[in-house]
């Protein structure tokens, strides 16, 4: 994560960034959009981030320090007169319509299912911010991460499991992450889906890739698989890597960090 923070804070990104649009006032409406704004917008142009920008599960939480945090409400948002608004899910349609009527440009992040989709997200937001070169630098860094990870798993099986008992099949960014590291996804079916306790215990995956197990146990719903001691034991025995929530909740470039973590875990298992 530190290498991304360095890229955002200065160095290559600052050297390559395009001039900001005159008088740009950039606002983010949710935590995922925060990451894009922090990575791609000049800091001086940011007039607001979401209330969750500084949370532990925010990838660029450190960079959010000192910037204003705002709720996605009409009063809070319209009051700062943004000219560019970035959103993934934040803000209802009425608010978005109000912003458009006042001339704000809306950059919407798509729910990418692969790294091509992530590249399109970066380019779309970067173009809206007038920061095309900075976006390309971010993409180049992501591609280097993916190149490092390629083929590490040598086709071995792996299955993603969240603390809430969900997995991810084909057509998800998690699947793309697993395959980018050279593993075969053992999840059946497409999309995000629940996993039964019986399936896990009777037909346990070859290895597990854990997600959101970095949070406190008391944050897991009482009925969730993540509270089951049998699942916790299986996780300890079969886990190849545990991915933090900060890289899992947003279709962004740092999904490549997950592929790198899996590749390093595969190398460690081979030693």
């Amino acid at each position: 994560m530190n290498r991304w923070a360095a890229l955002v804070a200065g160095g290559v990104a600052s050297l390559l960034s395009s001039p900001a649009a005159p008088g740009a006032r950039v606002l983010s409406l949710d935590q995922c959009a925060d990451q894009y704004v922090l990575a791609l917008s000049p800091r001086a142009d940011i007039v607001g981030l979401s209330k969750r920008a500084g949370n532990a599960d925010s990838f660029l939480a450190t960079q959010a320090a000192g910037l204003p945090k705002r709720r996605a409400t009409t009063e809070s948002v319209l009051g700062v007169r943004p000219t560019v608004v970035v959103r993934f899910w934040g803000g209802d349609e009425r608010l978005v319509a109000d912003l458009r009527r006042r001339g704000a440009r809306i950059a919407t992040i798509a729910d990418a299912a692969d790294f091509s989709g992530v590249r399109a997200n970066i380019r779309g937001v970067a173009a809206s911010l007038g920061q095309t070169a900075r976006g390309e630098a971010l993409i180049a860094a992501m591609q280097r991460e993916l190149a490092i990870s390629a083929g590490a798993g040598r086709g071995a099986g792996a299955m993603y499991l969240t603390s809430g008992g969900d997995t991810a099949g084909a057509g998800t960014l998690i699947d793309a992450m697993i395959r980018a590291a050279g593993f075969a996804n053992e999840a059946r079916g497409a999309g995000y889906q629940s996993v039964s306790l019986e399936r896990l215990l009777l037909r346990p995956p070859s290895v597990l890739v854990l997600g959101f197990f970095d949070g406190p146990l008391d944050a897991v719903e009482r009925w969730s698989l993540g509270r089951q001691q049998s699942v916790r034991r299986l996780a300890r025995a079969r886990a190849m890597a545990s991915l933090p929530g900060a890289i899992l909740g947003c279709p962004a470039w740092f999904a490549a960090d997950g592929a790198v973590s899996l590749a390093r875990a595969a190398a460690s298992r081979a030693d």
Side-chain angles (χ1 to χ4, degrees):
M1 190 177 296
N2 288 339
R3 58 189 176 280
W4 293 110
L7 180 62
V8 171
V12 174
S14 293
L15 186 64
L16 295 179
S17 62
S18 305
R25 297 176 63 81
V26 182
L27 178 73
S28 164
L29 291 182
D30 54 69
Q31 190 182 45
C32 181
D34 293 336
Q35 315 314 309
Y36 278 83
V37 167
L38 287 166
L40 296 171
S41 175
R43 189 175 179 88
D45 289 353
I46 300 173
V47 296
L49 301 171
S50 82
K51 286 289 189 176
R52 294 184 58 186
N55 287 11
D57 61 348
S58 176
F59 188 76
L60 294 175
T62 301
Q63 282 66 42
L67 290 169
K69 315 298 190 299
R70 308 188 188 282
R71 298 188 185 279
T73 62
T74 300
E75 181 180 27
S76 177
V77 168
L78 297 183
V80 296
R81 298 174 288 104
T83 58
V84 183
V85 176
V86 184
R87 68 187 294 261
F88 178 38
W89 55 264
D92 59 28
E93 291 305 313
R94 181 176 178 179
L95 174 58
V96 172
D98 283 344
L99 286 164
R100 284 200 174 101
R101 278 196 295 271
R102 285 162 172 76
R105 180 184 301 175
I106 310 297
T108 301
I109 299 162
D111 191 10
D114 53 33
F115 287 99
S116 293
V118 172
R119 287 192 292 272
N121 275 337
I122 294 171
R123 288 185 172 125
V125 176
S128 293
L129 295 170
Q131 298 293 329
T132 300
R134 185 175 288 195
E136 292 305 314
L138 200 59
I139 289 171
M142 181 182 77
Q143 293 303 119
R144 288 193 293 272
E145 298 266 72
L146 294 175
I148 291 170
S149 308
R154 300 182 180 181
M159 181 178 174
Y160 176 70
L161 180 69
T162 71
S163 58
D166 296 319
T167 190
T172 65
L173 191 53
I174 296 296
D175 177 69
M177 185 190 303
I178 290 171
R179 290 186 288 105
F183 289 89
N185 191 350
E186 290 190 11
R188 300 290 180 262
Y192 294 96
Q193 54 205 270
S194 297
V195 183
S196 71
L197 180 61
E198 291 76 10
R199 187 264 189 252
L200 281 176
L201 299 183
L202 296 177
R203 291 179 288 120
S206 304
V207 295
L208 284 169
V209 176
L210 304 181
F212 300 103
F213 273 75
D214 57 322
L217 184 60
D218 59 9
V220 180
E221 296 286 350
R222 291 187 178 278
W223 48 264
S224 295
L225 286 184
R227 278 189 173 270
Q228 301 292 328
Q229 289 303 312
S230 56
V231 173
R232 291 265 162 177
R233 285 194 295 271
L234 179 64
R236 287 192 293 270
R238 298 286 178 104
M240 176 177 63
S242 185
L243 305 178
I247 71 169
L248 297 171
C250 178
W253 62 94
F254 40 79
D257 279 28
V260 170
S261 294
L262 299 187
R264 288 174 176 166
S268 297
R269 289 167 66 89
D271 291 342

